[in-house]
């Protein structure tokens, strides 16, 4: 149930923050949150639920672990996590691991028993990073004391279903399976292995084996495969208002005028960008549009119930960059600055991983840099993404009264 301020404005009672998958672009989300959390606090609001996928799951867990702190300190701690991350905190050096990956691939093709290529990158460092840079004991205390609830989204390989692992003090009987998506909700204590599973980007990162809760036992990969922006789980878990933080805008690209632009045959990079848009972005756009349509039906009284359950108005906010190519362009700009001139050549020799990623993933099409931006754990890019997130959040929250949140309906 929502509450009222003294001036009659509505204050939601249970706010859910939805954090989309993003890879290195998660730094943008951290920038948004560093502005959003203090602003919500000024309005007398603290999020009660964080639901995250992939890098969004990492951000969600980091915030849940600091839910006992003032919001300004929560935001500062999250920014520190991102500002300390480097590429060698995520995967081992490519020049060291590539020969082994090629050998395993060749061995699998040759039919050698027990030899399989399960991922192109060795993410052992990411496991250490997730385990060591968050206070998991404090996270569980915060959940048990009712300060926050946490949900992490993965994709179960065997069932091909989205799995939402729910860490909530009140968790008892799990929510029923949602066969329309399909989504399975499982109560249990969220740990570093669940965040790693949520962030296991298919092909690039190896799948993660989970053994708890028992119903989740098996191999899991990135939750973004089926549900990158987990808006529906946030609503299912009782949010009466949602804040969606993503790294793409909440609309489809404009249709170009006929006869404009160059007609160049798409290359592999262009095709992969299209596939990622379909998997990571388009469903989020449709979910937000559906939410807006349902709110309109409730507001006008044209529909109040569905399957015997009452509809309610869900207030929402969305944060994302203005264009789908915004963060990709930012990554390319940082890449060019990093490897420009003699200093850049020396840096290539000393730290070749980011240069190799730029060579293979930057692309040269209209969405240049999009693929690169997911793995570009470069300090300049992370800082630039943080600042872009702060700027975009400031625009959404602009207004004369800091105690009023500009909810959309």
């Amino acid at each position: 149930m929502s509450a009222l301020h003294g001036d009659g404005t509505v204050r939601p009672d249970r706010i859910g923050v939805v954090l989309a998958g993003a890879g290195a672009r998660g730094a943008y989300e951290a920038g948004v949150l560093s502005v959003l959390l203090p602003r919500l606090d000024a309005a007398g609001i603290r999020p009660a639920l964080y639901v995250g996928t992939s890098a969004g799951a990492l951000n969600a867990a980091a915030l849940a672990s600091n839910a006992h702190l003032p919001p300004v300190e929560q935001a500062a701690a999250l920014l520190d996590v991102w500002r300390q991350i480097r590429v060698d905190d995520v995967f081992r050096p490519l020049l060291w691991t590539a020969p082994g990956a090629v050998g395993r691939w060749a061995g699998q093709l040759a039919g050698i028993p027990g030899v399989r290529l399960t991922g192109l990158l060795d993410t052992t460092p990411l496991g250490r990073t997730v385990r060591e840079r968050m206070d998991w004991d404090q996270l569980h205390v915060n959940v048990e004391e009712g300060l926050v609830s946490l949900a992490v989204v993965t994709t179960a390989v065997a069932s091909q279903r989205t799995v939402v692992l729910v860490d909530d003090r009140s968790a008892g009987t799990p929510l029923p399976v949602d066969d329309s998506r399909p989504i399975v909700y499982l109560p249990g204590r969220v740990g570093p292995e669940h965040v790693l599973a949520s962030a296991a980007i298919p092909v690039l990162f190896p799948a993660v084996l989970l053994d708890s809760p028992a119903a989740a036992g098996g191999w899991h990969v990135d939750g973004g495969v089926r549900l990158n922006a987990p808006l529906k789980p946030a609503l299912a878990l009782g949010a009466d208002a949602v804040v969606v933080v993503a790294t793409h805008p909440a609309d489809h690209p404009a249709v170009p005028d006929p006869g404009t632009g160059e007609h160049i045959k798409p290359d592999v990079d262009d095709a992969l960008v299209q596939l990622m848009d379909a998997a990571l972005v388009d469903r989020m756009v449709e979910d937000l549009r559906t939410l807006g349509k349902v709110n309109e039906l409730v507001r006008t009284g044209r529909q109040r119930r569905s399957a015997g359950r009452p509809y309610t108005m869900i207030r929402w906010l969305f944060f994302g960059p203005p264009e789908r190519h915004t963060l990709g362009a930012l990554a390319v700009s940082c890449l060019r600055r990093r490897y420009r001139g003699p200093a850049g050549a020396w840096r290539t020799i000393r730290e070749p991983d980011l240069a190799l990623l730029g060579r293979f993933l930057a692309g040269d099409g209209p969405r240049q840099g999009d693929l690169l931006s997911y793995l570009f754990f470069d300090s300049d890019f992370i800082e630039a993404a943080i600042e872009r997130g702060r700027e975009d959040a400031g625009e959404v929250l602009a207004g004369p009264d800091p105690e009023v949140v500009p909810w959309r309906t």
Side-chain angles (χ1 to χ4, degrees), residues 249-405:
D251 52 28
H252 295 298
V255 178
D257 294 331
T260 62
E262 296 183 60
H263 297 284
I264 301 174
K265 187 175 183 179
D267 63 7
V268 171
D269 179 81
D270 298 323
L272 288 172
V273 168
Q274 293 289 332
L275 288 173
M276 292 185 71
D277 275 1
L280 305 183
V281 189
D282 292 346
R283 176 160 284 181
M284 175 191 73
V285 174
E286 296 307 318
D287 281 351
L288 286 169
R289 290 185 174 183
T290 298
L291 178 59
K293 291 175 182 177
V294 171
N295 280 344
E296 179 63 22
L297 291 172
V298 174
R299 181 167 44 247
T300 59
R302 285 179 285 169
Q303 187 162 353
R304 298 189 180 277
R305 304 183 74 83
S306 173
R309 294 178 299 174
Y311 273 135
T312 58
M313 184 83 71
I314 301 295
R315 289 166 175 80
W316 58 283
L317 284 175
F318 177 83
F319 297 88
E323 303 288 344
R324 293 196 177 193
H325 65 263
T326 297
L327 294 179
L330 196 61
V332 168
S333 176
C334 291
L335 176 74
R336 289 172 177 166
R337 286 199 304 271
R338 181 179 182 85
Y339 296 108
R340 184 172 52 199
W346 176 240
R347 191 176 290 118
T348 301
I349 296 171
R350 292 183 58 217
E351 305 169 359
D353 282 347
L354 292 176
L356 288 171
L357 288 174
R359 173 70 64 180
F360 289 109
L361 297 180
D364 61 0
R367 297 281 294 280
Q368 185 180 21
D370 263 32
L371 295 180
L372 173 66
S373 65
Y374 286 91
L375 292 176
F376 198 49
F377 291 93
D378 165 67
S379 57
D380 290 344
F381 173 65
I382 286 173
E383 193 61 43
I386 287 172
E387 290 308 309
R388 180 77 215 204
R390 290 180 57 82
E391 292 173 11
D392 291 344
E395 291 184 10
V396 172
L397 296 171
D401 189 347
E403 297 185 3
V404 175
V405 178

Side-chain angles (χ1 to χ4, degrees), residues 24-33 246-247 319-321 327 385-386 388-389 392:
R25 298 155 71 111
Y28 173 90
E29 297 181 352
V32 169
L33 291 159
T247 62
F319 297 88
L327 294 179
I386 287 172
R388 180 77 215 204
D392 291 344

Side-chain angles (χ1 to χ4, degrees), residues 5-377:
H5 288 292
D7 61 2
T9 57
V10 175
R11 185 185 68 206
D13 182 60
R14 182 173 169 81
I15 291 183
V17 178
V18 175
L19 299 168
R25 298 155 71 111
Y28 173 90
E29 297 181 352
V32 169
L33 291 159
S34 70
V35 174
L36 171 68
L37 295 178
R39 177 62 181 276
L40 291 177
D41 186 56
I45 300 171
R46 281 206 182 190
L49 167 68
Y50 289 103
V51 188
T53 297
S54 195
L58 186 151
N59 285 335
L63 290 170
S65 71
N66 291 309
H68 60 294
L69 300 176
V72 171
E73 294 182 30
Q74 294 178 36
L78 181 61
L79 292 179
D80 284 344
V81 168
W82 280 98
R83 285 170 171 155
Q84 293 171 17
I85 288 179
R86 298 294 180 266
V87 67
D88 56 5
D89 294 317
V90 182
F91 49 85
R92 294 179 63 210
L94 295 173
L95 292 180
W96 294 3
T97 60
V102 172
R104 286 188 293 276
W105 176 67
Q108 184 172 354
L109 288 179
I112 299 175
V115 177
R116 304 183 73 220
L117 179 62
T118 58
L120 296 179
L121 302 175
D122 182 343
T123 56
T124 302
L126 181 60
R128 289 195 298 269
T129 299
V130 170
R131 289 181 175 88
E132 296 173 2
R133 297 192 187 177
M134 279 186 276
D135 190 338
W136 291 95
D137 290 337
Q138 185 63 56
L139 184 155
H140 299 139
V141 168
N142 291 342
V143 171
E144 289 164 5
E145 292 183 351
L147 295 179
V148 70
S149 298
L150 173 65
V152 169
V153 180
T154 73
T155 303
V157 175
S159 68
Q160 301 180 39
R161 287 175 175 260
T162 294
V163 175
V164 181
L165 299 151
V166 183
D167 199 343
D168 187 333
R169 182 178 66 169
S170 62
T173 303
L175 291 169
V177 174
D178 182 348
D179 284 321
S180 66
R181 293 307 286 255
I183 303 172
V184 178
Y185 296 90
L186 299 177
R189 175 172 284 195
V190 170
E193 66 278 10
H194 302 108
V195 171
L196 291 170
S198 182
I201 304 171
V203 181
L204 294 177
F205 294 4
V208 175
L209 181 64
L210 297 181
D211 56 15
S212 68
W219 294 99
H220 292 248
V221 295
D222 197 309
V225 171
R226 292 187 173 273
L227 193 61
N228 194 55
L231 174 60
K232 194 169 187 182
L235 299 177
L237 292 168
D240 61 358
V242 290
V243 177
V244 180
V245 184
T247 62
H248 295 87
D251 52 28
H252 295 298
V255 178
D257 294 331
T260 62
E262 296 183 60
H263 297 284
I264 301 174
K265 187 175 183 179
D267 63 7
V268 171
D269 179 81
D270 298 323
L272 288 172
V273 168
Q274 293 289 332
L275 288 173
M276 292 185 71
D277 275 1
L280 305 183
V281 189
D282 292 346
R283 176 160 284 181
M284 175 191 73
V285 174
E286 296 307 318
D287 281 351
L288 286 169
R289 290 185 174 183
T290 298
L291 178 59
K293 291 175 182 177
V294 171
N295 280 344
E296 179 63 22
L297 291 172
V298 174
R299 181 167 44 247
T300 59
R302 285 179 285 169
Q303 187 162 353
R304 298 189 180 277
R305 304 183 74 83
S306 173
R309 294 178 299 174
Y311 273 135
T312 58
M313 184 83 71
I314 301 295
R315 289 166 175 80
W316 58 283
L317 284 175
F318 177 83
F319 297 88
E323 303 288 344
R324 293 196 177 193
H325 65 263
T326 297
L327 294 179
L330 196 61
V332 168
S333 176
C334 291
L335 176 74
R336 289 172 177 166
R337 286 199 304 271
R338 181 179 182 85
Y339 296 108
R340 184 172 52 199
W346 176 240
R347 191 176 290 118
T348 301
I349 296 171
R350 292 183 58 217
E351 305 169 359
D353 282 347
L354 292 176
L356 288 171
L357 288 174
R359 173 70 64 180
F360 289 109
L361 297 180
D364 61 0
R367 297 281 294 280
Q368 185 180 21
D370 263 32
L371 295 180
L372 173 66
S373 65
Y374 286 91
L375 292 176
F376 198 49
F377 291 93

